[in-house]
Amino acid sequence: MPYKNYISNSVIRRLPRYYRFLGDLQKEGLTKISSFELSARMKLTASQIRQDLNCFGGFGMQGYGYNVAELRSEIGKIIGVERKIGAILIGAGNLGKAIITYFDFPKYGCELIGIFDNNSDLVDSQIAGVTICHISKLAAFCKKSKPEIAVLCIPKENAGAISEMLVDCGVKAFWNFSHYDINLHFDDIIVENVHMGDSLLTLAYNVNNKNK
Ligand code: NAI
């Protein structure tokens, strides 16, 4: 169920880390953890964790800490991992293939229901059990299957026209690898940009400026 209260972006950005971290603790066989220990392991303050979780009603008990499985399950519900949002991927090249092969979409609350490319040589082949369709089939597919998310793995030059088509077809959100600024062109569309190059540049800056 969507949250009615405003939740800040920084809290939302921390949720996947809590979720992943608690999953690791579960794998370690931990059933409960004190707020002190959780904060020490995550390098966050206990009050930061409390404040974050209080945005969603608060979890854990004074003097007990957190039940690892319950807290992870609650955070999973907050994120909505169980819903399995229908997603399609556009551009089954090097990057697209790597994403499809690597990401177990259901683990991240999504289901990959279609792959599209404009290269006829790729059409009708399969990646991870999903058949690649020609991009000309996109509108009909969207009308029938109503994907909510598009993963864009096409060159920037082609992303403008394709994102417009996708929005017209009812797509509401983009996991955008294309370097095209979708946000500048559409209101009310949710965009998560991924720029690995920017991340590497940030690392380079920090290495170059350490201890200056
Ligand atoms: P690639 O050339 O191997 O794959 C691109 C695929 O998109 C091809 O299969 C091509 O046929 C398809 N395509 C192009 N225009 C299309 C259209 N209008 N409709 C449907 N399919 C179309 O390229 P690669 O290496 O997979 O990279 C794809 C893009 O991702 C590049 O533009 C690159 O800059 C970007 N990229 C972004 C990264 C990031 O961190 N955001 C990391 C790596 C690449």
Side-chain angles (χ1 to χ4, degrees):
M1 208 212 296
Y3 281 90
K4 291 193 188 84
N5 298 342
Y6 170 77
I7 311 288
S8 80
N9 212 28
S10 44
V11 174
I12 295 166
R13 291 220 167 263
R14 280 194 289 274
L15 287 179
R17 183 162 178 249
Y18 287 124
Y19 189 68
R20 177 165 47 80
F21 213 88
L22 289 159
D24 290 344
L25 295 180
Q26 260 186 313
K27 279 187 203 137
E28 276 180 36
L30 234 74
T31 51
K32 67 172 206 164
I33 189 162
S34 70
S35 59
F36 174 78
E37 199 184 340
L38 183 62
S39 61
R41 285 200 186 207
M42 293 191 74
K43 287 210 160 88
L44 291 170
T45 64
S47 100
Q48 169 89 82
I49 295 177
R50 230 180 355 261
Q51 271 177 38
D52 285 352
L53 299 180
N54 277 345
C55 296
F56 305 97
F59 307 96
M61 275 184 295
Q62 197 115 40
Y64 176 87
Y66 300 103
N67 176 308
V68 173
E70 267 175 27
L71 183 57
R72 182 169 185 269
S73 157
E74 288 303 328
I75 292 175
K77 282 185 204 153
I78 291 165
I79 296 172
V81 285
E82 290 306 324
R83 187 160 86 82
K84 313 296 176 232
I85 307 165
I88 54 175
L89 183 139
I90 319 292
N94 293 312
L95 181 65
K97 276 193 195 111
I99 288 171
I100 299 162
T101 315
Y102 176 74
F103 274 98
D104 179 10
F105 279 76
K107 196 173 146 194
Y108 300 95
C110 300
E111 187 189 358
L112 185 69
I113 57 174
I115 307 171
F116 295 86
D117 203 290
N118 66 357
N119 179 349
S120 309
D121 293 343
L122 296 177
V123 167
D124 288 339
S125 58
Q126 287 202 342
I127 315 175
V130 183
T131 304
I132 302 175
C133 299
H134 195 270
I135 194 75
S136 57
K137 304 266 165 56
L138 183 70
F141 179 92
C142 290
K143 200 169 171 196
K144 186 163 171 255
S145 302
K146 301 192 172 23
E148 289 178 62
I149 292 179
V151 184
L152 268 202
C153 299
I154 54 175
K156 183 180 180 182
E157 310 80 78
N158 302 357
I162 291 291
S163 52
E164 210 161 286
M165 198 195 285
L166 287 160
V167 171
D168 283 349
C169 288
V171 165
K172 297 183 172 51
F174 288 84
W175 196 22
N176 179 29
F177 291 83
S178 77
H179 302 310
Y180 174 76
D181 273 319
I182 298 175
N183 325 51
L184 301 182
H185 303 277
F186 305 100
D187 299 323
D188 294 334
I189 292 294
I190 302 164
V191 183
E192 189 62 34
N193 294 307
V194 184
H195 293 295
M196 283 184 256
D198 288 6
S199 172
L200 190 54
L201 284 172
T202 308
L203 183 67
Y205 173 88
N206 284 322
V207 169
N208 290 325
N209 290 281
K210 192 166 189 265
N211 302 329
K212 268 196 181 160

